Amino acid sequence: AQSVTQPDIHITVSEGASLELRCNYSYGATPYLFWYVQSPGQGLQLLLKYFSGDTLVQGIKGFEAEFKRSQSSFNLRKPSVHWSDAAEYFCAVGVNDMRFGAGTRLTVKP
Amino acid sequence: DTEVTQTPKHLVMGMTNKKSLKCEQHMGHRAMYWYKQKAKKPPELMFVYSYEKLSINESVPSRFSPECPNSSLLNLHLHALQPEDSALYLCASSQIPGTNYNEQFFGPGTRLTVL
């Protein structure tokens, strides 16, 4: 069965610092991987997705993620964090029966 | 139109009430989903509709009754809920079910409180 693990429940970074959020997946075949962001009380917004091809994926808001099959990972990165990036970030795997990781809450210090 | 809309935004109901949540999309998507999200938890899949037919039911209690009257609309009928059913209910849609390259678009959710 497909599953996703996000090892970090909560991360705090300073504004302007770089960010990496970790995601490890378990999937029998080629995984379809996503990163979503959720602000408090809001729905989920898709940041980026990986289906196949280039393993470095560019998304919205300056985010990117790298698919590493050998490590079963799909980590999310941003070179310089803005205060508005504070939110909950979910990694997800699958398509019609998508499964989410537990989420990582990002706090941005001024 | 590239959004999924949900009504109402907030709903408070008693345990004996009957209410419905509504979800609408006009992107021509043929798969629609209901998720339940408790505070500080990830969304949990409840139901999937493909071409207006129920294709996945994640062992959801019968007090939740989904309905897909047409390709743009998805309802969730609620009856005899329990306080532990209080949560954010998210609707999503995606293109042709069962195919690759198929991301889900989420609505803003309905915040449900059961008293």
Side-chain angles (χ1 to χ4, degrees):
Chain A
Q2 59 200 23
S3 66
V4 171
T5 301
Q6 293 180 247
D8 304 304
I9 297 173
H10 184 204
I11 283 183
T12 299
V13 299
S14 298
E15 190 167 16
S18 64
L19 171 70
E20 183 169 32
L21 302 182
R22 296 184 291 164
C23 172
N24 293 98
Y25 68 88
S26 172
Y27 198 76
T30 301
Y32 301 105
L33 295 159
F34 307 85
W35 275 101
Y36 284 88
V37 62
Q38 185 178 34
S39 296
Q42 302 296 313
L44 281 77
Q45 182 182 25
L46 181 68
L47 287 175
L48 46 77
K49 62 193 180 221
Y50 173 78
F51 291 136
S52 65
D54 194 348
T55 57
L56 186 62
V57 179
Q58 301 298 320
I60 63 171
K61 304 185 180 188
F63 286 93
E64 67 177 26
E66 186 170 12
F67 172 67
K68 292 185 178 180
R69 185 185 297 276
S70 61
Q71 299 176 19
S72 297
S73 68
F74 187 58
N75 295 346
L76 182 72
R77 300 194 294 248
K78 186 169 185 178
S80 177
V81 168
H82 187 262
W83 64 266
S84 60
D85 293 323
E88 189 84 21
Y89 291 79
F90 293 100
C91 183
V93 64
V95 179
N96 293 320
D97 56 346
M98 190 161 62
R99 307 294 168 175
F100 289 85
T104 298
R105 182 161 58 95
L106 174 65
T107 298
V108 180
K109 290 192 304 185
Chain B
D1 188 352
T2 58
E3 65 172 0
V4 176
T5 59
Q6 290 187 245
T7 55
K9 290 190 65 150
H10 300 275
L11 178 62
V12 179
M13 60 185 291
M15 289 190 284
T16 58
N17 291 157
K18 286 185 181 181
K19 297 285 185 184
S20 297
L21 309 185
K22 180 180 171 182
C23 173
E24 196 163 3
Q25 58 86 16
H26 295 286
M27 295 179 278
H29 290 174
R30 301 306 297 274
M32 296 186 78
Y33 312 79
W34 280 116
Y35 290 86
K36 175 182 178 179
Q37 186 179 24
K38 301 284 279 184
K40 301 188 187 302
K41 296 290 187 183
E44 294 178 354
L45 184 66
M46 299 175 72
F47 302 105
V48 180
Y49 272 82
S50 299
Y51 297 105
E52 297 87 68
K53 290 192 175 1
L54 185 64
S55 61
I56 296 177
N57 177 343
E58 291 288 340
S59 303
V60 179
S62 60
R63 57 185 184 269
F64 295 90
S65 175
E67 178 197 21
C68 191
N70 61 57
S71 60
S72 300
L73 270 176
L74 184 66
N75 298 319
L76 186 63
H77 303 298
L78 314 172
H79 174 54
L81 294 194
Q82 303 297 311
E84 59 264 28
D85 296 321
S86 298
L88 182 68
Y89 287 84
L90 293 164
C91 174
S93 69
S94 64
Q95 287 183 352
I96 303 172
T99 62
N100 300 334
Y101 314 109
N102 215 10
E103 68 206 62
Q104 293 185 26
F105 294 80
F106 282 82
T110 293
R111 175 74 59 189
L112 174 67
T113 302
V114 182
L115 300 177

